[in-house]
Amino acid sequence: MKKLFSSALAPLVTSLINLLLAYVTYFIARVVYMLVNLSYFSQGLTFSQLMEMFGGGLLFDTSAIIYTNLLWIVMMLFPLWAKETPLYHKICRGLFVTVNGLAFIANLADSVYFPYTLRRTTTSVFKEFDNESNLGDIVGTELINHWYLVVIAAVVIFALYKLYVMPRTDKAHYPTTKSRVKYGLIQLACLAGAAPLCVGGCRGGLQSGVRPITINNANQYVTRPTDCALVLNTPFSMLRTIGKSVFAVPDYYPSMEAAAAVFNPIRHPKPQHKPVKKNVVIIIVESFGREYIGGFNTMYFGGKYKGFTPNVDKLIKKSAVWYYSYCNGRKSIDGMPSVLCSIPEFIEPFVLTPASMNTYTGIAGHLSKWGYQTAFFHGANRGSMGFLAFANKTGFQNYYGRQDYDADKRFGGDADFDTNWGIWDEPFLQYYCTKMGEMRQPFMTAVFTVSSHHPFVIPEKYKKVFPEEKLPIQKCIRYTDMAIGKFFESASKQPWFKNTIFVLTSDHTNMTDIKQYQTDIGGFCSPIIIYDPSGHIKPGMRNGVAQQIDIMPTVFGILGYDKPYLSFGCDLFSTPNKDTYAVNYLNGVYQYVKYGYVLQFDGTQTKGIYKLTDVLMQHNLRGHVPVQAKMEHELKAIIQQYMYRMVNDKLMAK
């Protein structure tokens, strides 16, 4: 072996050994990723399925390893005598350890982020948080909370450094011109042979018909979309989404007219009553999944599960709610266009794609032109999460954030800042209530809360009132629920209260410890609560489907709004329960909820179809459900309409 390491093949042999080290680090990262999130991956997973997923992961690991180590490979195999010096090889070792160490850290860090998104992180994360100034504190907190990952990273990176193998050849081994020429030719041959192998590794194969693998290819190794995260790796997911155009118009239907005959997002409402210009208040509660709300879980647990939201439970009893209600995305920036513009998230967050430059509006823009005063409230810094830009884009006339709260001397100012994201929910919701009292009626407002957000802290004075629960978020949910209760208590005393429609939902779901909320569709279970203090809207649980993108058309139906608009949802009060639906996207798979089933479609074929009553999604009925073809037909029309309108800037009704 020592002789081989000093031969003309030494650079090639040592390169292969070191690349094997890289594969081992990716394998370790995948095991850690799985163990950190075991409750999400363990549902019905057999050993053979796990091996298939790990085997499929080699394809994506190969692509990531070659992409990230390409410079190192060239440096190792390029026939230069200078590279035989110890300094040169120390540089090569430093490059290798740095690149693969960073890739390992990225995988470990993503294992912590996964419960919030149920997917591998892509480059959109940089746009999502590019307005935040508190990320250093957040990262510091996570390093402390997940100290064991720091230890693992240190051990693995140190092992990479120590186990790295360097060739031992030097110019002295080749004293004649002939031997040196032979050495150079061997090196050129190794480099030439490596080139097509590297291309094939990056693309996922060398066959002529193979297209470069994408994130979506992970679906061929799994039976449910959530498990794609275990097949993929974070460096690959990020590399494959750099500068990519995410929207491509499919040809499911020969024309857009044919697609529109099945699904048309352009609405021309014909109200059944005269316009009723009630105030509209939309409360978007951070991470407020249905799992935490006792009132939504009686259908599963009877009265045994109390949840963490006594105040919202009281609100539910006098509100219109739906048994099956969902968010349309897994991030805050997905929730904004879904709730306020009736535009769901497909593939990547809409507001982070080039399509965000299209001409579009939302409920605020429409109602502003209808004589409403509109305002958006968010207790974070102005510009945080890009919400200020989004609010301006979609027609909100005013925006109120942390700085505005601080400037209002009637309240506690920056003493109420949580030191992480924004003003605590309790004082900010009181500020929100007060500011609405200063607005001209009719008004439309939306507030986005912040306290039930990572790193899951609550005000010092409530730490004994709301102690630690099984999950860190649960104490925050109790605090935010209390803040919501106090908000409605204050609002009920205002003269505008009974002339107001209240809508409460979440931006997305979050941490979970109940199995049915860890499934592919369970990860999208958000509340849709519509409360009318005047009593015009009959309270009660509807046996239908609701989603965030239904909020705008439903509000318009209540108001009797009669202007054309675009919406991918439906008016929940004028649409029969059997025709209500929900749609979302997870790891390359579209999920379509309708007719009592969940259809999973990868853009080409149905991967699965499950009864909604099969809450753990254990029985795939693909090919055995009469409405499967009909659901595919409808979903394809929705997808084609969405993609066409994104690509061609057709998000406005004429």
Side-chain angles (χ1 to χ4, degrees), residues 37 40 66 91 128 202 220-221 269 344 354 377 394 397 413 434 477 574 622:
N37 300 289
Y40 292 91
I66 294 177
I91 293 173
E128 182 179 357
C202 291
Q220 71 187 78
Y221 303 101
F377 294 76
T394 56
Q397 298 159 355
T434 299
I477 294 296
S574 65
R622 183 178 61 174

Side-chain angles (χ1 to χ4, degrees), residues 424-588:
W424 295 112
D425 286 350
E426 181 186 9
F428 194 76
L429 286 176
Q430 292 300 310
Y431 169 75
Y432 176 48
C433 182
T434 299
K435 294 297 288 184
M436 283 191 288
E438 299 169 358
M439 296 175 68
R440 169 183 52 79
Q441 298 189 59
F443 57 75
M444 179 271 152
T445 67
V447 62
F448 200 116
T449 69
V450 302
S451 294
S452 46
H453 196 294
H454 181 276
F456 307 125
V457 293
I458 59 177
E460 187 67 32
K461 65 180 180 180
Y462 287 112
K463 287 187 176 178
K464 291 184 178 179
V465 178
F466 305 119
E468 294 294 328
E469 304 276 359
K470 184 176 181 180
L471 297 177
I473 193 176
Q474 290 167 343
K475 67 179 185 297
C476 298
I477 294 296
R478 287 194 184 278
Y479 166 75
T480 294
D481 173 75
M482 177 271 295
I484 292 171
K486 288 189 175 181
F487 165 79
F488 276 101
E489 182 181 347
S490 296
S492 66
K493 301 173 184 176
Q494 303 301 314
W496 46 264
F497 180 69
K498 286 195 174 181
N499 190 43
T500 303
I501 300 296
F502 294 89
V503 181
L504 189 147
T505 187
S506 71
D507 55 341
H508 53 74
T509 62
N510 207 301
M511 304 174 76
T512 172
D513 65 348
I514 298 178
K515 290 294 184 183
Q516 65 203 52
Y517 293 106
Q518 296 171 352
T519 66
D520 294 333
I521 197 63
F524 291 87
C525 289
S526 284
I528 306 291
I529 302 170
I530 300 178
Y531 172 47
D532 178 7
S534 72
H536 179 73
I537 296 175
K538 184 180 178 181
M541 184 75 76
R542 270 78 168 163
N543 187 25
V545 178
Q547 56 185 327
Q548 290 171 329
I549 59 175
D550 294 336
I551 290 173
M552 188 174 84
T554 301
V555 168
F556 284 172
I558 295 170
L559 302 179
Y561 183 77
D562 60 356
K563 312 297 181 184
Y565 62 91
L566 175 139
S567 167
F568 283 88
C570 67
D571 178 350
L572 292 169
F573 292 122
S574 65
T575 305
N577 285 333
K578 66 181 182 64
D579 293 326
T580 54
Y581 60 92
V583 64
N584 49 57
Y585 182 89
L586 178 64
N587 290 326

